[in-house]
Amino acid sequence: MKRIGLLGGMSWESSLEYYRLLNEMVKNRLGGLHSAECIMASVDFGPVSDMMKTDDWKGIERVLSEAAQDLKRAGADFLIICTNTMHLIAREIEKASGLEVIEIGIAVGEEIERRGLKTVGLLGTRFTMERAYYRDTLAGFGISVIVPSEEERAVVDRIIFEELCKGIFREESKSAYKKIINGLQMNGAEGVILGCTEIPLLIKESDVDIPVFDTTAIHAWAAVEHALS
């Protein structure tokens, strides 16, 4: 089994879910008392989120690259970045650390392609929704991406940072997300990407009428497949 390096802490709420999923998936694959061989570097999200607010992506790259280098020194064989947004600088982190990064967007694209969908909605932080990472990555699979309106993007982003990253889960926020997803569906989305690793803690497939792509679970499965290959 290859040793998985987890670059986490953004937020620790979703990093906890990654750890649970990785171990459950390995146990289900191998049986008995098997669990995932993994190492986590969990950064302090406070300073990182402050740098996000000022668009200091060089600063974020420096912090995450140093953490990734720590993972390599600790014996990680490859790396997963336990957040969607930070895949905006995945290639830079991969280059700085010398560890292969298993990309969340590619794993999600493969799953959408397997399901046969061609147009999907995307929820996430404003960076994830507004920048090109998912649009460009999924274009390589022949998949189009629809995002909410500017006003709705602000609502999605606010709930992520003010509630979900703090472990706060409100029914009114779930209702707001469901309404936004319904709007995406009306605009042609055949499914929706929960493109922030905290959103699956609030929204489940049973909450909406179209397929839901839980990026945390999809990414964790891709990591397990790679670790056991």
Side-chain angles (χ1 to χ4, degrees):
M1 190 190 309
K2 298 185 186 74
R3 183 172 293 164
I4 306 167
L6 295 90
L7 188 48
M10 301 166 283
S11 69
W12 68 261
E13 297 281 348
S14 61
S15 298
L16 179 67
E17 186 70 359
Y18 265 96
Y19 184 74
R20 182 186 68 80
L21 287 168
L22 290 169
N23 283 290
E24 284 187 352
M25 289 171 177
V26 170
K27 179 183 71 175
N28 290 337
R29 280 283 300 274
L30 301 182
L33 295 178
H34 285 289
S35 55
E37 284 222 22
C38 59
I39 308 166
M40 181 181 289
S42 188
V43 303
D44 180 1
F45 194 31
V48 172
S49 64
D50 289 341
M51 287 186 276
M52 291 170 72
K53 292 172 187 174
T54 60
D55 267 340
D56 182 10
W57 288 90
K58 282 296 181 185
I60 295 171
E61 181 185 328
R62 182 178 63 254
V63 170
L64 299 190
S65 293
E66 288 174 358
Q69 289 163 2
D70 288 342
L71 287 168
K72 184 174 184 180
R73 284 191 288 268
D77 293 309
F78 66 97
L79 181 67
I80 58 171
I81 305 169
C82 301
T83 161
N84 281 270
T85 299
M86 297 311 164
H87 279 78
L88 296 172
I89 52 173
R91 296 278 70 80
E92 290 82 353
I93 294 169
E94 183 175 70
K95 183 178 179 181
S97 67
L99 287 173
E100 178 185 4
V101 171
I102 304 301
E103 281 199 45
I104 199 167
I106 292 174
V108 170
E110 289 172 347
E111 179 62 17
I112 296 170
E113 183 180 54
R114 188 186 69 81
R115 299 280 293 272
L117 278 59
K118 290 297 181 184
T119 304
V120 292
L122 173 64
L123 300 186
T125 66
R126 65 182 180 89
F127 304 101
T128 298
M129 291 185 288
E130 295 174 2
R131 299 199 180 185
Y133 175 73
Y134 263 107
R135 185 175 65 249
D136 290 352
T137 301
L138 296 188
F141 293 90
I143 299 165
S144 299
V145 175
I146 302 172
V147 297
S149 68
E150 184 176 357
E151 181 180 348
E152 290 172 330
R153 294 198 300 271
V155 171
V156 173
D157 187 82
R158 180 190 62 76
I159 290 171
I160 289 169
F161 284 102
E162 294 183 9
E163 298 177 20
L164 305 185
C165 286
K166 298 177 181 179
I168 299 168
F169 308 102
R170 303 184 192 279
E171 280 301 317
E172 53 265 41
S173 297
K174 176 182 277 195
S175 296
Y177 273 23
K178 288 167 66 175
K179 182 178 179 181
I180 292 169
I181 292 169
N182 184 58
L184 292 169
Q185 183 180 7
M186 292 178 66
N187 286 331
E190 303 166 282
V192 63
I193 300 170
L194 304 184
C196 171
T197 51
E198 283 79 25
I199 296 178
L201 301 174
L202 181 68
I203 294 292
K204 309 298 181 185
E205 186 145 20
S206 58
D207 293 319
V208 296
D209 297 327
I210 54 177
V212 161
F213 295 92
D214 176 342
T215 54
T216 309
I218 293 168
H219 198 203
W221 179 248
V224 169
E225 286 282 286
H226 191 72
L228 298 179
S229 64

